[in-house]
Amino acid sequence: MPHSRFSAIAASHSRKPIEVVYPDTKTSEYFGMNVFDKDKMKKYLPKEAYRKVIAAIDEGEHIDRKIADLVALGMKAWAMELGATHYTHWFQPLNASTAEKHDGFLDISNGEVVENFDGGQLFQQEPDASSFPSGGIRNTFEARGYTAWDPSSPAFIVDKTLCIPTIFVSYTGEALDYKTPLLRSVSTLDKAAVEVCQFFDKNITKVISTLGWEQEYFLVDEAVYNARPDLYLTERTLLGHASAKDQQLEDHYFSAIPQRVKAFMADFEIESHKLGIPVKTRHNEVAPNQFECAPIFEEMVIAVDHNQLIMNIMKKTARKHNFRILFHEKPFKNINGSGKHNNWSMATNTGVNLLAPGSTPKRNLLFLTFLVNTVKAVYDNQDILRASVSTIENSHRLGAAEAPPSIMSVFLGSQISKILDEIENKVTDDKMTPDLKTELKLNVGKIPEILLDNTDRNRTSPFAFTGNRFEFRAVGSSANCAGPMTVLNTAVAKQLYQFKKDVDAITIDGNKRDEAIFKVLRSYIIHSKNVLFEGNGYSQEWIDEAASRGLTNITNPVQALEALLTENVEKLFTETNVLSKRELHARHEILVERITNKLQIEARVLGDLANNHIIPTVIKYQNILIENVKGLRDLLPADEFEVLAEPQMDMIRRISKHKTIVQTKVVEMIQARKRLNKIEDSTEKAHEYYVTITEYMKEIRHNIDKLELIVDDDLWPLPKYRELLFTN
Ligand code: ADP
Ligand code: MG
């Protein structure tokens, strides 16, 4: 039988790039061709239905059944012209992927086969959803979940299937997905931000949140991947000694993209463009075989859908190119992990980016207002923000010297910091003189010029201001952006409501409006100072300093998730109507159970690799050494034998030592799991799993990796790091 490792390597070396079929028109001509967007609605819907759908998209107005029937008819006509045969509700359940259940348009009417799709089918489906996580919300006697059409996300066609973006809720109306709370958070942020914008400009009546994500990923050749059960069962390597060369020469970032990879990229970009996803950037990342893609930012809900969709397309396209794509946050030990930076801002109906400075003092005060409120929201909500990115996968990455630690700090850059200092120092509690006000306004007015040559780029901050947006960098590569974005929107919304109240309160006291704004901003700047940090976020000094500033730093994901159960967080979400207490607790339950399940799987896979792959190999090699020593003893005089056999004897001893540790620890780990499985409380169970099983896994791995260095390369059964990272 061929050795699976070596045949895999041979297969990966023999590959040629797959040819890409490029469309024969410009991108702008096929961009969005597979999306039922406004233009297509206009063409395929009767006037009244078109108007109603646009009102639903823009104002959240209700659509009745009659209109839904008309929309369904138009959608079906459009979809069938593009060859679609099926439709599905497309939703984002809480198990971190997307779900779909396809139904054919096919129907029988009066004994004849017809294509059918009506408003009822567009509106609602009842997927047999009892196998999606619900955190106890769905009782066994009422296992139904509903998917309901979300007209704010356009329908699209993938593989001849019309996909209708929906939300997913329980029989009792509770959210079972990522989308529902995201939509609620977008709408509460809209309300709060408009209230504040009205201080500055009465024409601002709508504020949308914007998101531009940057998706990092690894590619591994399919044959090599298939020879690594840990990769295909857990998406990360549970063992493997570092390659002699990995990223230390810093020669991968932004270097030429390998041909096979470029073909893959071009292929998934073409399909993405047809689906209206504005992917723009592609490049190599820091680690070997690590890459990134990023689109132009979009309205948040659409951007979230597009990220989920593109991840699916990338998975599918990778297979076509004989790759497997890894979205895991840390597939390889001691090598950079993958994140998904979330670039976030807010934009008004008047075309203003609220986190971009403008050309007048008034515009800049508006900008500073949103900036300072965001800083305060991050400071006051650091624990729930951390919880929003805390998964077992991301816990391998955060603080691992290439990603921000689990401390939430904000980077502003020296120029903006200077302006905040000035407000802090010059604004007073008593009445401000006209001269002072003019001075402050003039200085605020200078912001855009200053920012022009502000080249500050701090890559080590988890939450950085980057000129016209904040970049939340702690988000993991496999995450659904909706999780962290829901928290951020909600935290900022709550803060903006508070700001409105605070300004109103002292405006009544006889302050002029702008004076009141300056005063409230000053109090916020003083209040949130501790969260601002401009230095190296990866350093030990920062970890110490953050502790002395009272910032929290929680690396254990189970502990981090406890934030969801605190009174403050409950207030945050219930006051803003984004999540009820029951929904919050259900989410917590799902997330901690996920940690236990993931660790359970990893521990099993590692146990299997150790017992059935590594130990037998190690024994084989040890026997070869023993045979060799015996032969030398027969051949050589005793004194010479002792000298010449010693290195082999040493290897035999070292192999025995590591092998025995691996064997003992695997047995102990299995026993520990049996013991922990009896724990009833799911949080305690996850915590114990995290603390205990992770340690066993580390120790087992350490010893296996030592064995990898001793055992004959010809015998080693699993592709090594160099083969996983350097074949492309
Ligand atoms: P970098 O690697 O320097 O962070 P990229 O160009 O890779 O920059 O990514 C920046 C992302 O930020 C892009 O998706 C871009 O569209 C997005 N972005 C720019 N302006 C905004 C904004 N106002 N709101 C949200 N995202 C934005
Ligand atoms: Mg970035």
Side-chain angles (χ1 to χ4, degrees):
M1 209 189 89
H3 200 299
S4 65
R5 173 175 159 227
F6 290 102
S7 57
I9 297 166
S12 77
H13 282 311
S14 69
R15 293 207 212 277
K16 301 262 174 308
I18 303 280
E19 206 171 326
V20 180
V21 184
Y22 287 91
D24 45 21
T25 52
K26 291 186 292 198
T27 309
S28 55
E29 276 168 41
Y30 60 84
F31 188 84
M33 63 177 274
N34 292 336
V35 186
F36 196 60
D37 53 20
K38 286 186 182 171
D39 285 346
K40 273 146 220 150
M41 287 182 197
K42 200 165 194 172
K43 187 168 162 209
Y44 286 86
L45 301 185
K47 262 210 186 82
E48 194 200 353
Y50 174 72
R51 245 185 337 112
K52 285 272 164 64
V53 177
I54 298 297
I57 296 171
D58 293 343
E59 331 292 343
E61 265 169 37
H62 180 73
I63 293 180
D64 64 28
R65 175 62 201 264
K66 207 182 93 226
I67 296 295
D69 278 334
L70 293 173
V71 176
L73 212 61
M75 249 187 212
K76 185 187 74 179
W78 166 74
M80 284 177 56
E81 273 176 32
L82 290 174
T85 54
H86 286 69
Y87 70 93
T88 178
H89 279 196
W90 185 79
F91 57 104
Q92 301 172 25
L94 291 167
N95 54 3
S97 62
T98 55
E100 42 197 82
K101 175 192 164 231
H102 298 195
D103 277 304
F105 289 135
L106 182 89
D107 208 352
I108 299 200
S109 171
N110 299 328
E112 273 186 56
V113 171
V114 291
E115 276 81 14
N116 192 21
F117 179 59
D118 65 24
Q121 289 156 325
L122 169 65
F123 253 142
Q124 186 175 309
Q125 268 191 334
E126 280 178 41
D128 174 23
S130 51
S131 45
F132 294 107
S134 79
I137 277 184
R138 233 183 301 96
N139 296 319
T140 35
F141 63 86
E142 192 37 275
R144 264 182 299 171
Y146 290 102
T147 54
W149 178 35
D150 163 23
S152 66
S153 295
F156 54 90
I157 294 175
V158 174
D159 295 338
K160 309 259 179 247
T161 301
L162 171 67
C163 302
I164 300 150
T166 59
I167 57 166
F168 180 41
V169 294
S170 73
Y171 178 65
T172 42
E174 274 131 338
L176 294 173
D177 64 350
Y178 282 104
K179 252 334 234 315
T180 308
L182 178 73
L183 289 162
R184 294 176 188 154
S185 78
V186 163
S187 118
T188 192
L189 181 59
D190 172 20
K191 262 193 232 122
V194 166
E195 277 189 9
V196 171
C197 286
Q198 288 276 316
F199 283 156
F200 299 85
D201 181 352
K202 296 284 176 212
N203 294 321
I204 299 180
T205 53
K206 179 150 181 94
V207 171
I208 59 162
S209 18
T210 53
L211 166 65
W213 42 261
E214 300 162 52
Q215 179 72 56
E216 292 183 333
Y217 59 95
F218 279 87
L219 288 175
V220 177
D221 183 87
E222 155 184 283
V224 187
Y225 171 97
N226 283 332
R228 289 282 308 217
D230 48 354
L231 271 186
Y232 64 75
L233 292 175
T234 74
E235 268 219 36
R236 78 177 179 109
T237 53
L238 301 176
L239 46 85
H241 195 277
S243 165
K245 171 184 188 290
D246 45 57
Q247 60 188 48
Q248 63 274 62
L249 300 179
E250 300 181 335
D251 53 356
H252 191 251
Y253 191 57
F254 280 16
S255 66
I257 300 169
Q259 287 307 315
R260 266 184 79 198
V261 176
K262 213 187 269 169
F264 154 75
M265 287 175 170
D267 217 356
F268 87 73
E269 285 167 0
I270 292 166
E271 178 156 7
S272 301
H273 289 154
K274 288 182 182 169
L275 285 162
I277 307 173
V279 240
K280 185 174 167 71
T281 314
R282 47 155 104 139
H283 61 78
N284 289 4
E285 262 302 326
V286 173
N289 276 3
Q290 190 188 28
F291 307 92
E292 179 184 298
C293 72
I296 299 166
F297 73 93
E298 297 175 280
E299 189 274 309
M300 183 174 288
V301 177
I302 306 289
V304 165
D305 277 2
H306 280 172
N307 181 243
Q308 289 298 305
L309 185 54
I310 208 170
M311 286 168 81
N312 289 338
I313 294 169
M314 288 166 86
K315 270 187 213 158
K316 185 178 77 179
T317 313
R319 282 178 171 250
K320 182 170 150 197
H321 290 257
N322 304 107
F323 284 123
R324 287 293 188 276
I325 192 161
L326 306 176
F327 288 121
H328 193 289
E329 279 74 0
K330 194 79 175 175
F332 303 101
K333 194 182 158 193
N334 291 334
I335 285 171
N336 273 20
S338 302
K340 177 148 55 199
H341 296 175
N342 277 204
N343 294 270
W344 168 89
S345 189
M346 292 152 283
T348 68
N349 58 307
T350 57
V352 169
N353 172 359
L354 290 169
L355 290 174
S359 48
T360 63
K362 194 166 162 197
R363 254 295 277 113
N364 283 319
L365 193 54
L366 176 68
F367 155 69
L368 274 184
T369 296
F370 278 86
L371 180 103
V372 171
N373 274 284
T374 304
V375 171
K376 181 165 184 288
V378 173
Y379 179 57
D380 290 343
N381 296 283
Q382 45 182 305
D383 288 335
I384 187 66
L385 276 168
R386 176 190 308 104
S388 77
V389 298
S390 285
T391 57
I392 187 77
E393 294 91 332
N394 212 15
S395 71
H396 295 290
R397 164 183 170 257
L398 292 182
E402 89 282 353
S406 299
I407 305 164
M408 290 297 136
S409 64
V410 180
F411 169 86
L412 291 178
S414 56
Q415 309 298 338
I416 299 280
S417 302
K418 242 201 312 232
I419 293 186
L420 299 197
D421 284 345
E422 191 179 337
I423 293 177
E424 183 185 341
N425 296 328
K426 292 200 172 146
V427 174
T428 51
D429 280 335
D430 10 296
K431 205 157 169 45
M432 288 158 64
T433 65
D435 278 358
L436 174 58
K437 275 202 260 181
T438 314
E439 185 194 335
L440 277 170
K441 280 190 195 162
L442 274 178
N443 285 345
V444 166
K446 283 188 203 136
I447 296 175
E449 293 163 44
I450 301 172
L451 272 185
L452 268 186
D453 46 49
N454 172 9
T455 46
D456 279 14
R457 286 291 248 165
N458 183 318
R459 299 244 163 223
T460 67
S461 174
F463 202 89
F465 181 68
T466 44
N468 57 6
R469 61 191 189 266
F470 275 102
E471 192 165 329
F472 191 13
R473 302 212 183 99
V475 184
S477 49
S478 70
N480 185 321
C481 303
M485 289 298 100
T486 298
V487 172
L488 183 59
N489 283 346
T490 310
V492 173
K494 183 173 180 215
Q495 178 48 48
L496 291 169
Y497 285 128
Q498 186 61 45
F499 177 77
K500 164 86 167 57
K501 270 194 217 143
D502 291 344
V503 170
D504 282 347
I506 60 168
T507 309
I508 295 164
D509 279 353
N511 283 292
K512 281 253 170 61
R513 173 71 60 60
D514 50 357
E515 187 165 338
I517 290 174
F518 269 120
K519 284 179 177 167
V520 173
L521 288 182
R522 173 173 182 257
S523 73
Y524 287 0
I525 292 167
I526 296 172
H527 168 90
S528 338
K529 249 184 159 168
N530 273 340
V531 83
L532 299 178
F533 179 64
E534 306 278 302
N536 177 5
Y538 299 170
S539 68
Q540 183 58 42
E541 292 86 74
W542 169 232
I543 293 178
D544 300 337
E545 188 186 327
S548 74
R549 289 188 190 187
L551 296 178
T552 50
N553 178 12
I554 305 171
T555 52
N556 172 333
V558 185
Q559 279 168 358
L561 287 170
E562 272 168 32
L564 272 82
L565 306 177
T566 59
E567 214 172 297
N568 271 345
V569 168
E570 185 185 322
K571 257 173 73 188
L572 168 70
F573 284 110
T574 52
E575 279 173 12
T576 48
N577 289 323
V578 171
L579 285 169
S580 69
K581 183 175 176 184
R582 203 163 120 90
E583 287 170 330
L584 256 177
H585 283 241
R587 258 149 233 264
H588 175 263
E589 183 75 14
I590 291 167
L591 291 167
V592 293
E593 273 180 6
R594 194 171 168 276
I595 293 180
T596 307
N597 291 339
K598 286 267 165 180
L599 283 169
Q600 227 163 30
I601 295 169
E602 287 190 353
R604 283 199 196 117
V605 173
L606 183 60
D608 168 63
L609 288 177
N611 285 341
N612 306 323
H613 293 70
I614 305 301
I615 300 293
T617 305
V618 164
I619 292 177
K620 238 183 257 164
Y621 186 54
Q622 202 181 30
N623 285 341
I624 293 175
L625 292 172
I626 291 171
E627 280 307 308
N628 171 273
V629 171
K630 280 187 190 159
L632 289 176
R633 195 185 48 204
D634 293 346
L635 208 65
L636 300 170
D639 52 343
E640 217 176 311
F641 165 72
E642 248 166 55
V643 177
L644 293 182
E646 184 42 34
Q648 286 85 299
M649 288 301 293
D650 180 52
M651 285 165 87
I652 292 170
R653 279 187 222 107
R654 271 161 47 218
I655 287 176
S656 290
K657 185 187 107 192
H658 295 302
K659 178 177 95 35
T660 309
I661 299 178
V662 171
Q663 285 169 312
T664 332
K665 290 294 158 188
V666 167
V667 171
E668 283 177 23
M669 181 168 75
I670 292 169
Q671 282 161 352
R673 262 174 32 225
K674 284 198 179 131
R675 195 177 69 241
L676 301 183
N677 286 344
K678 295 205 184 87
I679 301 177
E680 295 242 324
D681 180 78
S682 51
T683 307
E684 193 193 328
K685 186 166 165 182
H687 179 79
E688 288 303 318
Y689 251 91
Y690 181 71
V691 175
T692 316
I693 301 299
T694 308
E695 278 314 305
Y696 278 118
M697 290 181 60
K698 267 191 202 147
E699 213 178 335
I700 295 167
R701 178 191 186 140
H702 173 80
N703 285 282
I704 292 180
D705 291 354
K706 291 282 176 209
L707 287 165
E708 185 187 318
L709 292 182
I710 306 173
V711 171
D712 181 2
D713 186 65
D714 263 351
L715 295 179
W716 197 255
L718 302 169
K720 296 184 172 179
Y721 263 32
R722 59 172 186 258
E723 290 138 13
L724 292 166
L725 289 166
F726 287 96
T727 48
N728 51 36

